[in-house]
Amino acid sequence: MAGPARTALELLVGYRRGRSGRYLAYGALVAGLAYLVAAAAWGGIAVFGFERFRETTPTIMLGVCGLAVLLALLHGYVNDGVVVGAAVAVAPLAGLLLWGSTVAGLDLPSPAAGQAGLDRLALFGAGVGSLLTLLGTAVGRLVSGDPERNVREDPPTDAD
């Protein structure tokens, strides 16, 4: 593939496919972390009555979202791939949705406000991460030392 089609694919998926796969794996780990935070909040509040979890869980989820945003920015900078970066940014929200779907059909006690706001934090992180992926991609393409990726330099021509 050459020309604009290759460039479009690089901007969507990433400059190096192996690196994109690693970042998707990191995103899956971040989603798992968000799942565990939600599960711990439910377990701590509803089952064990640890009321301190009401205050600490949003802070922990903010850290998980911050990690996802940082990974999304880094992927945009080092590998382009706007879709992959956005997928990494959405990972905490995916983890929370997975937790919600896991317990939806079960008759479990509700921790009431213990998990309130986690979805808003994850949604905010997804938006910020997606925007920072675009910013990282733009900066990465401008400052890259690779002439095929750097938009300020002409790509090398193949001599036939």
Side-chain angles (χ1 to χ4, degrees):
M1 211 178 333
R6 191 196 87 219
T7 303
L9 188 62
E10 287 173 357
L11 285 173
L12 291 176
V13 180
Y15 186 61
R16 304 215 189 283
R17 303 298 184 274
R19 189 175 286 165
S20 294
R22 280 194 301 274
Y23 275 91
L24 286 174
Y26 297 152
L29 290 173
V30 169
L33 233 110
Y35 182 92
L36 289 176
V37 167
W42 171 79
I45 297 167
V47 176
F48 299 108
F50 297 145
E51 290 299 316
R52 184 148 194 244
F53 276 32
R54 290 188 197 282
E55 299 155 8
T56 58
T57 301
T59 305
I60 294 169
M61 183 55 71
L62 187 62
V64 171
C65 292
L67 176 63
V69 165
L70 178 65
L71 287 170
L73 173 67
L74 285 174
H75 184 267
Y77 181 74
V78 300
N79 198 39
D80 300 344
V82 175
V83 173
V84 173
V88 171
V90 173
L93 184 61
L96 289 176
L97 291 174
L98 182 63
W99 168 251
S101 68
T102 301
V103 299
L106 302 176
D107 187 25
L108 299 174
S110 172
Q115 293 174 312
L118 298 184
D119 56 345
R120 287 188 295 262
L121 284 172
L123 196 57
F124 179 71
V128 170
S130 296
L131 289 175
L132 287 179
T133 296
L134 290 171
L135 178 68
T137 299
V139 170
R141 289 188 75 81
L142 286 171
V143 301
S144 174
D146 188 349
E148 288 187 14
R149 183 175 177 223
N150 193 321
V151 294
R152 292 180 300 125
E153 298 176 17
D154 290 331
T157 57
D158 295 333
D160 290 326

